[in-house]
Amino acid sequence: MQTTTAATQCAHCGEPCSKGEQFCCSGCKMVYELLNEHGLCDYYTLNNRPGTAQRAPVRQDKFAFLDDAQIQQQLIQYRDDQQTHVTFHIPNIHCSSCLWLLENLHRINPGVQQVNVNFTQKEARVVFFQEQTSLREVAETLNSIGYEPYISLQDLQKKKPPVNRRLIYQLGVAGFCFANIMLLSFPEYFSGDNHMDSTMSLVFRYLNLALSLPVFFFSAQPFYSSAWKGLKHGFLNIDVPIVLAIMVTFLRSLTDVLTGAGTGYFDSMTGIVLFMLTGRILQDKTYKGLSFDRDYTAYFPIAVTLVKDKAEIPVQLPDVKAGDTLLIHHQELVPADGILVKGKALIDYSFVTGESAPVAKQMGEIIYAGGRQLEGNMEILTIKEVAQSYLTSLWNRDELQHKQHKASFIHLLGRNFTWIVLFIAAVTTIYWGIYDASKIWPAVTSILIVACPCALLLAASFTNGHILRILSRHRLYLRNAQAIETLADTTHIVFDKTGTLTGKTQASTTWHGRTLSVAEKNAIGALASQSQHPASRTVLAYCGKPDDTSVQRFSEETGRGLQGWAQRMHVQMGSAGYTGAKEKNGSQVHVNINGDYAGYFLLSHTFRAGIGDMLHALPYPLTLLSGDHDGDAPRLREMMGSQADLRFRQQPHDKLDYIIALQQQGKQVLMIGDGLNDAGALKQSNTGISLTENSNNFTPASDGILEAEQLRKLPAFIRLCKVNKRIILISFAMSVLYNITGLFFAVQGLLSPLTAAILMPASSISIIVLTYGLSEWAGRRLLSDDYHRRA
């Protein structure tokens, strides 16, 4: 077995290039020369090899659709007589050099006035003078220096939701009122009976009443809304007893102040709302740079080239009709189902079906949307509109529209807790009704105040929020706190193969045959260098690019193979049928030299590092659903165990049906995949996690996004989610002790504002400290490298 080794690194992107070469491709060289021409080579001093590879040539009129006024109107955020503002999503932003270069874009294109980069969201907000440059020219300038804007159909159909700051405002109001109420309450706490001027005391009480109103009517609204929604659906969620406690506390305090019976419990009420809002904000933290709801519109281009009366016209994708002729350029996506009517078609469906080998299509055959053309330009006659294609139908199955969500155990605990509190209140009412009816009101209201399950909600909110942050440190980004629970409840795990267990770009190549001489390897390399087929490029990387790449009488049959004369030898390589070899399992490139069979290259994707150990550490039934062939079956069987269910050549609907069948057996399914072919299964699973090699690349809709190199930590992630539930229960047990202490005073009608003012903040703060400490400890223990090696 022989392997390819890199001789040198590209001066622009740092990727391997041929020995003696300064750049890996002409694209990188062109970017370097462009930056050098404008005096921007400081770019290379800020980071080591900051650029991205430019091997794919850029089509000259790729951004011609940006000249369309209707498309401009959809993309432009602001325009006046002089300036235009637009924001581009640029996935290639990855380091400080990128920020520096983009913010100096005006030195390359003088029409650009200003560029502001949002690094976390990979976005650049560009302000330019429309009299000096155009939207298309700005996009082309960005593209020329390696920062191609990603403009998808989603940009045309959806606007970003406005930032919701209401919860922040509600928290601010609650914090301000709570602090001032506490300040005004201290004289009452410490002066004792009759030691404070009565007029001053009355003023302070009414000031507290006034300060409590914004909290009661504005800050507490999220809890009112949630409780009402639960009741409308016949479900007693955790916010119902919270709202009950808030209302009882306010009414009891209002009655005390208006009747002169006391100061009330405004400090406790505002404190409850303040702490719970804080926990809710922490739990509701979102990852703004990520999208968990992407569908096909985020994958498809915003416009395509329509061929009409022999003219090429850029049109918006939604305007494409059945019967239109579309020109699909090299490396472009097929946006709609159609029939090949011109050119050669070699379609890469790996992201749609999971099949790693490109598929050759003949004239008259149907080409489905979502594939990428690899063999030059072609024309298709569309037979369906974009919204009706096979690919988009994956998002429209009825099963996906009615996915059931399991209620959180927090709500179940809260419901039982509420019934217990109501039972205690009823018993207290009966007792004081018999012995002293005047104590019924103070005793019952005190019970409802002190037994508020806010500590349970606080424990859940702060623990969930902190666990979400710990997971995000390790690049697992979950959609919300509910995903923690569903991940912990997993009973069956389903994996995709291509792009999930194996890398998308890393491939291993091994030679099986007689020993090749140096001249023969050079001849094979020269022949492979004439083709853009992925298999040819892999063979070229194995053999190395020879100094002399000339090939005489070269010919290539799409999807079959190629041949020609190089190094004075006739070389033929391709499929078994093309070369006359015997078919074998896996992806092979067979080689004939001067009419004699020499052997074959076996091409296979490389399994990610640590995958074998990860699969062995998972104590769950495992299933593999792959759209690829079964060439890796023996290796997968060895890694996943004899009980694992391995299924190959699975279509997207097969994967979705399999997940539904598991759920009908009562299984809680975790699905991990990466491509559009997994989109339906990911969405249907109890927990769907999209794997990505870059969190800003396209990922199908899911409950979580995991960076690929972290997949080996999956057992630890699941364990941490299980620990999350235990931490909440421990915190809840601690809060019950506070409640029992408060109830001891409450049932006797002796709960004073001072006792309540001590118990409520003490329980809240201690719960926060406990959940933070336990979560941090569990996170460090479970996700440490040493633990992984033991797992």
Side-chain angles (χ1 to χ4, degrees):
M1 182 184 303
Q2 304 168 48
T3 57
T4 304
T5 56
T8 57
Q9 286 186 315
C10 175
H12 176 70
C13 68
E15 291 202 2
C17 56
S18 301
K19 188 176 182 179
E21 298 287 341
Q22 191 176 1
F23 300 98
C24 66
C25 62
S26 59
C28 285
K29 182 180 179 183
M30 185 182 70
V31 175
Y32 182 91
E33 291 174 347
L34 180 65
L35 299 183
N36 185 46
E37 179 185 349
H38 291 86
L40 290 169
C41 281
D42 284 349
Y43 170 73
Y44 298 104
T45 64
L46 300 177
N47 282 281
N48 188 26
R49 315 298 184 202
T52 54
Q54 306 295 315
R55 290 202 181 97
V58 179
R59 181 162 52 87
Q60 189 174 7
D61 57 351
K62 185 171 185 177
F63 294 99
F65 64 89
L66 292 179
D67 289 333
D68 185 294
Q70 195 173 357
I71 293 178
Q72 287 184 11
Q73 187 178 6
Q74 299 287 335
L75 298 177
I76 289 174
Q77 297 165 312
Y78 171 80
R79 171 175 281 177
D80 58 22
D81 294 339
Q82 296 182 333
Q83 298 179 351
T84 298
H85 298 195
V86 65
T87 298
F88 289 117
H89 177 60
I90 303 178
N92 285 342
I93 296 175
H94 64 281
C95 66
S96 57
S97 290
C98 303
L99 270 69
W100 180 86
L101 182 57
L102 290 171
E103 290 177 354
N104 282 278
L105 194 67
H106 59 278
R107 294 168 65 176
I108 300 176
N109 185 338
V112 174
Q113 182 189 18
Q114 181 182 353
V115 177
N116 295 316
V117 178
N118 185 324
F119 184 80
T120 57
Q121 298 188 35
K122 312 283 186 188
E123 289 181 349
R125 182 172 178 271
V126 183
V127 179
F128 63 92
F129 299 112
Q130 60 263 26
E131 294 294 330
Q132 299 180 29
T133 189
S134 66
L135 182 63
R136 174 181 174 178
E137 289 172 348
V138 171
E140 289 176 343
T141 302
L142 288 168
N143 192 52
S144 68
I145 57 174
Y147 296 96
E148 179 181 348
Y150 184 76
I151 306 172
S152 70
L153 181 58
Q154 196 169 48
D155 295 314
L156 195 65
Q157 296 184 336
K158 293 181 180 178
K159 293 294 181 184
K160 288 186 176 180
V163 177
N164 186 3
R165 299 186 184 280
R166 186 177 178 83
L167 206 57
I168 301 294
Y169 297 146
Q170 289 168 328
L171 177 67
V173 169
F176 173 81
C177 295
F178 171 70
N180 284 280
I181 288 175
M182 289 296 291
L183 188 65
L184 294 172
S185 298
F186 276 123
E188 291 271 5
Y189 293 158
F190 301 111
S191 63
D193 295 336
N194 304 319
H195 288 84
M196 186 173 172
D197 180 79
S198 59
T199 305
M200 186 66 72
S201 176
L202 191 63
V203 170
F204 282 6
R205 290 177 183 182
Y206 276 93
L207 282 174
N208 281 347
L209 171 59
L211 285 167
S212 72
L213 295 177
V215 178
F216 183 74
F217 288 106
F218 175 64
S219 297
Q221 283 182 1
F223 305 103
Y224 302 154
S225 174
S226 174
W228 177 241
K229 288 178 182 174
L231 291 174
K232 278 202 303 184
H233 291 88
F235 180 67
L236 196 66
N237 63 28
I238 186 69
D239 287 320
V240 173
I242 295 289
V243 168
L244 182 63
I246 291 173
M247 289 188 169
V248 168
T249 308
F250 179 77
L251 292 175
R252 166 71 185 274
S253 304
L254 182 65
T255 304
D256 287 353
V257 170
L258 295 179
T259 60
T263 59
Y265 301 87
F266 293 124
D267 47 358
S268 298
M269 187 206 76
T270 53
I272 291 172
V273 175
L274 172 65
F275 285 115
M276 289 190 302
L277 278 177
T278 305
R280 182 154 295 190
I281 288 175
L282 291 174
Q283 178 177 288
D284 290 349
K285 173 182 170 61
T286 57
Y287 305 100
K288 295 179 181 177
L290 304 178
S291 172
F292 295 96
D293 293 309
R294 288 169 171 150
D295 60 13
Y296 68 94
T297 60
Y299 184 59
F300 279 0
I302 194 171
V304 293
T305 304
L306 176 70
V307 179
K308 189 174 184 180
D309 299 330
K310 298 183 179 180
E312 298 178 5
I313 309 167
V315 295
Q316 295 184 48
L317 201 53
D319 293 337
V320 173
K321 307 294 182 189
D324 287 345
T325 300
L326 302 181
L327 173 61
I328 310 298
H329 296 89
H330 180 64
Q331 290 290 333
E332 272 189 355
L333 288 173
V334 179
D337 299 349
I339 298 172
L340 179 65
V341 293
K342 186 177 181 182
K344 297 179 179 178
L346 185 65
I347 309 298
D348 176 9
Y349 278 121
S350 60
F351 202 57
V352 178
T353 65
E355 173 62 54
S356 58
V359 180
K361 294 288 184 181
Q362 304 300 322
M363 202 78 74
E365 285 193 88
I366 293 180
I367 299 176
Y368 291 102
R372 187 178 294 277
Q373 162 69 334
L374 302 179
E375 193 74 21
N377 296 348
M378 66 173 180
E379 291 181 8
I380 62 170
L381 179 67
T382 57
I383 56 175
K384 291 180 181 177
E385 296 180 8
V386 175
Q388 298 173 348
S389 68
Y390 168 70
L391 186 63
T392 55
S393 67
L394 295 175
W395 272 268
N396 299 323
R397 285 189 54 160
D398 291 340
E399 296 89 338
L400 298 178
Q401 313 304 320
H402 303 96
K403 181 179 177 180
Q404 299 294 320
H405 295 282
K406 185 181 176 183
S408 168
F409 79 99
I410 303 297
H411 297 303
L412 301 178
L413 270 179
R415 183 174 60 188
N416 294 329
F417 187 80
T418 301
W419 288 120
I420 292 173
V421 171
L422 292 177
F423 174 76
I424 294 173
V427 171
T428 303
T429 301
I430 295 171
Y431 177 84
W432 287 117
I434 296 172
Y435 295 101
D436 186 354
S438 65
K439 288 191 175 181
I440 294 177
W441 167 253
V444 172
T445 53
S446 297
I447 289 171
L448 296 177
I449 293 171
V450 79
C452 166
C454 57
L456 174 59
L457 186 58
L458 275 178
S461 301
F462 278 89
T463 306
N464 288 336
H466 197 58
I467 293 295
L468 284 174
R469 281 191 297 283
I470 291 173
L471 292 173
S472 70
R473 286 180 206 160
H474 297 269
R475 300 173 188 172
L476 171 58
Y477 308 97
L478 294 182
R479 174 194 291 267
N480 51 34
Q482 182 63 36
I484 299 177
E485 284 189 38
T486 55
L487 187 57
D489 292 339
T490 295
T491 60
H492 195 113
I493 301 180
V494 178
F495 290 97
D496 169 52
K497 183 178 79 80
T498 307
T500 302
L501 297 180
T502 66
K504 287 184 179 178
T505 56
Q506 297 176 339
S508 63
T509 306
T510 53
W511 168 251
H512 300 262
R514 64 174 175 80
T515 302
L516 297 171
S517 66
V518 174
E520 288 174 330
K521 286 183 67 176
N522 286 339
I524 294 172
L527 184 66
S529 69
Q530 309 301 311
S531 172
Q532 293 299 314
H533 193 287
S536 298
R537 293 202 294 269
T538 304
V539 170
L540 176 61
Y542 179 89
C543 296
K545 191 175 181 179
D547 294 333
D548 181 7
T549 58
S550 59
V551 177
Q552 286 76 44
R553 284 184 278 174
F554 173 79
S555 66
E556 181 173 8
E557 290 187 37
T558 302
R560 300 197 68 215
L562 55 157
Q563 60 180 309
W565 286 83
Q567 307 283 335
R568 299 182 179 178
M569 288 177 273
H570 178 257
V571 182
Q572 182 187 38
M573 62 183 196
S575 64
Y578 182 71
T579 56
K582 186 179 179 182
E583 188 71 54
K584 295 180 171 60
N585 288 331
S587 298
Q588 308 109 30
V589 177
H590 297 268
V591 179
N592 288 334
I593 299 178
N594 291 331
D596 293 329
Y597 183 69
Y600 64 92
F601 294 100
L602 179 61
L603 315 180
S604 59
H605 287 281
T606 305
F607 285 95
R608 299 187 188 280
I611 286 298
D613 292 339
M614 181 273 289
L615 292 171
H616 283 303
L618 289 171
Y620 302 98
L622 303 178
T623 296
L624 178 87
L625 298 179
S626 174
D628 209 348
H629 56 75
D630 60 356
D632 291 319
R635 179 77 188 283
L636 286 164
R637 176 64 66 193
E638 180 184 346
M639 291 192 294
M640 300 183 74
S642 58
Q643 301 300 316
D645 188 2
L646 307 184
R647 299 180 179 224
F648 297 91
R649 299 192 185 282
Q650 296 290 293
Q651 296 297 311
H653 64 271
D654 296 328
K655 295 187 176 188
L656 175 57
D657 292 340
Y658 186 84
I659 299 295
I660 293 173
L662 286 178
Q663 290 174 325
Q664 289 173 343
Q665 297 169 24
K667 304 282 183 62
Q668 297 290 314
V669 183
L670 164 63
M671 167 80 190
I672 301 179
D674 70 305
L676 288 176
N677 60 325
D678 303 317
L682 286 170
K683 196 170 180 181
Q684 177 62 32
S685 300
N686 300 88
T687 310
I689 294 182
S690 293
L691 205 69
T692 177
E693 294 180 355
N694 184 329
S695 58
N696 286 281
N697 285 348
F698 175 87
T699 52
S702 61
D703 300 297
I705 297 173
L706 173 64
E707 288 205 5
E709 63 180 17
Q710 303 296 314
L711 180 59
R712 60 188 174 83
K713 297 180 179 178
L714 182 63
F717 290 145
I718 297 176
R719 290 170 192 269
L720 183 59
C721 291
K722 289 178 179 292
V723 170
N724 176 71
K725 185 174 181 178
R726 293 181 200 141
I727 294 173
I728 293 174
L729 291 175
I730 291 172
S731 304
F732 179 57
M734 182 176 174
S735 73
V736 168
L737 295 178
Y738 283 105
N739 285 334
I740 291 174
T741 305
L743 285 171
F744 174 77
F745 295 102
V747 295
Q748 301 176 68
L750 301 175
L751 182 69
S752 67
L754 180 58
T755 306
I758 294 172
L759 284 178
M760 299 298 252
S763 64
S764 300
I765 293 172
S766 58
I767 291 297
I768 293 170
V769 172
L770 181 66
T771 57
Y772 177 83
L774 289 177
S775 303
E776 193 66 22
W777 173 78
R780 290 182 180 179
R781 176 176 177 270
L782 291 176
L783 294 174
S784 66
D785 290 336
D786 287 343
Y787 186 84
H788 290 305
R789 283 193 286 271
R790 293 198 299 272

